Amino acid sequence: MGNGNQTTRLIIQLGDGGSPTETFAFTCGANTFGITLTNNLGENVVLDCDDPLDVPAAIVRHLESQDTSATISGMVTTEAWPTWRAWSDSGSEKNIKMLLDEPAANNGGHWILPAFLGQLEIGKESSGKVTFTATISGAGQRTWTAAT
């Protein structure tokens, strides 16, 4: 049994808001990345038209909306801290790039997503290094661009 063509090339980058061309950059110190793509469903109960009293009703589902969220965590670095602190303090929307860094032959590409920083947690244990966990919530439609 094959294991498939596996990848390790997932990263999330923050945009700088530049116009007309936005630049996306890696967060120094980050080492864990997660992406959640959610389809929010609605439902209706539908009776059988030929025998509505004896045939159980069916639930018919439909797509109502889509949502995207992401998490980034790792070590706090003095280089990256000002960017995260400013985003948290401003409460503003920022574009992020969620990148599956593979060539087109391996189905790589990226999503661009307008997003808000929902939560930024920093912590430290004993004399250890300071860590962070960021929870990011989509603020609009994600757009996929396939690798070229």
Side-chain angles (χ1 to χ4, degrees), residues 1-21:
M1 177 187 224
N3 291 328
N5 188 13
Q6 299 175 7
T7 185
T8 60
R9 307 212 31 101
L10 174 68
I11 196 166
I12 298 170
Q13 300 173 326
L14 303 183
D16 66 359
S19 181
T21 303

Side-chain angles (χ1 to χ4, degrees), residues 2-148:
N3 291 328
N5 188 13
Q6 299 175 7
T7 185
T8 60
R9 307 212 31 101
L10 174 68
I11 196 166
I12 298 170
Q13 300 173 326
L14 303 183
D16 66 359
S19 181
T21 303
E22 186 163 24
T23 301
F24 292 88
F26 170 70
T27 296
C28 183
N31 60 18
T32 303
F33 306 94
I35 300 169
T36 302
L37 310 176
T38 304
N39 288 324
N40 298 305
L41 305 178
E43 62 182 44
N44 298 96
V45 176
V46 179
L47 295 174
D48 183 277
C49 291
D50 295 328
D51 195 358
L53 298 177
D54 294 324
V55 175
I59 295 176
V60 176
R61 291 188 173 87
H62 57 277
L63 180 66
E64 285 190 343
S65 62
Q66 292 183 315
D67 193 15
T68 308
S69 60
T71 57
I72 302 174
S73 62
M75 306 305 277
V76 173
T77 63
T78 57
E79 298 86 357
W81 174 242
T83 300
W84 286 95
R85 187 193 72 245
W87 193 15
S88 179
D89 290 347
S90 72
S92 62
E93 185 177 300
K94 178 184 285 286
N95 286 332
I96 65 170
K97 180 188 269 188
M98 302 174 293
L99 176 65
L100 186 57
D101 188 28
E102 291 284 352
N106 288 340
N107 302 304
H110 66 271
W111 286 282
I112 300 292
L113 175 71
F116 285 102
L117 178 59
Q119 184 176 18
L120 179 62
E121 179 182 341
I122 58 174
K124 176 177 135 14
E125 188 174 321
S126 297
S127 61
K129 303 290 184 182
V130 177
T131 61
F132 80 99
T133 300
T135 303
I136 300 168
S137 296
Q141 187 66 40
R142 61 183 180 256
T143 304
W144 175 258
T145 301
T148 54

